[in-house]
Amino acid sequence: MTNPFIINKRIILSHSKLDSFVVYICIEGNAIIYQNNDMIELSLGDTVLVPANIKNVHIYSDSAKLLQTYI
């Protein structure tokens, strides 16, 4: 499944019902993904793979559009 979404604040996404990795692709703007003590900055065209054992992801942006995809 692939779905784009717009982020303009801090959100927490739960992957607890998924048994798959999740891929985020930045298609507009900039965003920061936090997980535990790790931080990944995303800019246009950047991609991040979140392993299946990560159940919650914190994402922050003032203005970004991300694609989220998983099986």
Side-chain angles (χ1 to χ4, degrees), residues 24-43:
Y24 291 100
I25 304 166
C26 184
I27 59 173
E28 192 175 295
N30 298 294
I32 299 172
I33 295 180
Y34 297 95
Q35 174 53 40
N36 295 327
N37 293 325
D38 296 324
M39 178 182 83
I40 299 170
E41 295 183 43
L42 294 175
S43 297

Side-chain angles (χ1 to χ4, degrees), residues 1-2 10-11 14-15 29-30 37 48 50 52 54 63 65 69:
M1 169 181 249
T2 301
R10 185 181 190 122
I11 63 171
S14 174
H15 299 161
N30 298 294
N37 293 325
V48 65
V50 179
I54 304 295
S63 177
K65 190 175 200 177
T69 187

Side-chain angles (χ1 to χ4, degrees), residues 15-16 18-22 35-36 50-56:
H15 299 161
S16 61
L18 302 177
D19 62 351
S20 167
F21 60 86
V22 179
Q35 174 53 40
N36 295 327
V50 179
N53 65 339
I54 304 295
K55 298 305 177 191
N56 292 304

